[in-house]
């Protein structure tokens, strides 16, 4: 099932996610839904806060095409060597910024079968893990870049949300008006 993706400005994206208490069928189904949502949105990673759930879990498919699920992950080691890359995010669509991150990391997590694992990752895979892990901490990639760019992006999304809310109110008002006209016609027919 394809889920709604939260957008910049929604509170859950700025909250620290809660641990997953138990790996069960519900969590496995959630992971499947997250993969489906991520693929449909043309993404490479998706964290639970991005679908409105405060859970410490994310999914990803890096350039090796392996589907990976990280439940209650912890990054336990990062390299001193860093690399830059233009990052984007499904919660901040069509906005990219060059972000510097450690080139390699070591992460411990549990998979969707409830088995703990340790993964040493570098390059693109390491970057995706760090990006998604940040989501679990309430951090967005724009927080790691230029402050002025982050402020501009937040303001841009605030204006988008205001425009969307205004359009929704207009649609609701129009629907009420149409419903009132229909009700008036029905009442007229009933009075005849």
């Amino acid at each position: 099932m394809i889920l709604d993706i939260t957008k910049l400005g929604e509170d859950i994206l700025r909250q620290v996610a809660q641990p997953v208490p138990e790996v069960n069928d519900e969590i496995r189904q959630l992971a499947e839904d997250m993969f489906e949502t991520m693929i449909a949105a043309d993404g490479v990673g998706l964290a639970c806060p991005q679908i409105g759930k405060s859970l410490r879990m994310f999914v990803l498919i890096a350039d090796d095409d392996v589907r990976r699920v990280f439940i209650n992950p912890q990054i336990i080691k990062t390299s001193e060597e860093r690399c830059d890359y233009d990052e984007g995010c499904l919660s901040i669509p069509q906005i990219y910024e060059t972000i510097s991150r450690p080139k390699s990391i070591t992460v411990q997590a549990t998979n969707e079968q409830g088995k703990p694992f340790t993964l040493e990752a570098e390059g693109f895979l390491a970057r995706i893990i760090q990006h998604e892990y940040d989501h679990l901490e309430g951090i967005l990639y724009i927080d790691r870049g230029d402050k002025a760019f982050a402020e501009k992006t937040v303001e841009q999304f605030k204006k988008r949300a205001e425009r969307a809310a205004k359009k929704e109110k207009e649609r609701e008002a129009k629907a009420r008006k149409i419903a009132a006209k229909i009700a008036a016609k029905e009442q007229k027919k009933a009075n005849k």
Side-chain angles (χ1 to χ4, degrees), residues 22-41:
E22 177 188 7
V23 179
N24 54 28
D25 287 342
E26 187 179 328
I27 290 297
R28 283 186 276 280
Q29 184 58 56
L30 179 60
E32 281 304 309
D33 292 345
M34 290 172 71
F35 276 119
E36 189 176 339
T37 301
M38 178 190 80
I39 292 165

Side-chain angles (χ1 to χ4, degrees), residues 75-83 101-106 121-123 126 130:
I75 294 176
I76 58 170
K77 185 178 174 189
T78 59
S79 67
E80 286 191 27
E81 187 180 357
R82 300 178 74 82
C83 61
R101 292 190 188 268
K103 185 176 183 177
S104 63
I105 62 161
T106 303
E122 62 179 41
Q130 291 173 81

Side-chain angles (χ1 to χ4, degrees), residues 84-104:
D84 293 346
Y85 188 83
D86 278 354
E87 283 189 33
C89 181
L90 296 176
S91 292
I92 312 174
Q94 300 163 345
I95 305 287
Y96 300 90
E97 184 179 16
T98 302
I99 303 297
S100 178
R101 292 190 188 268
K103 185 176 183 177
S104 63

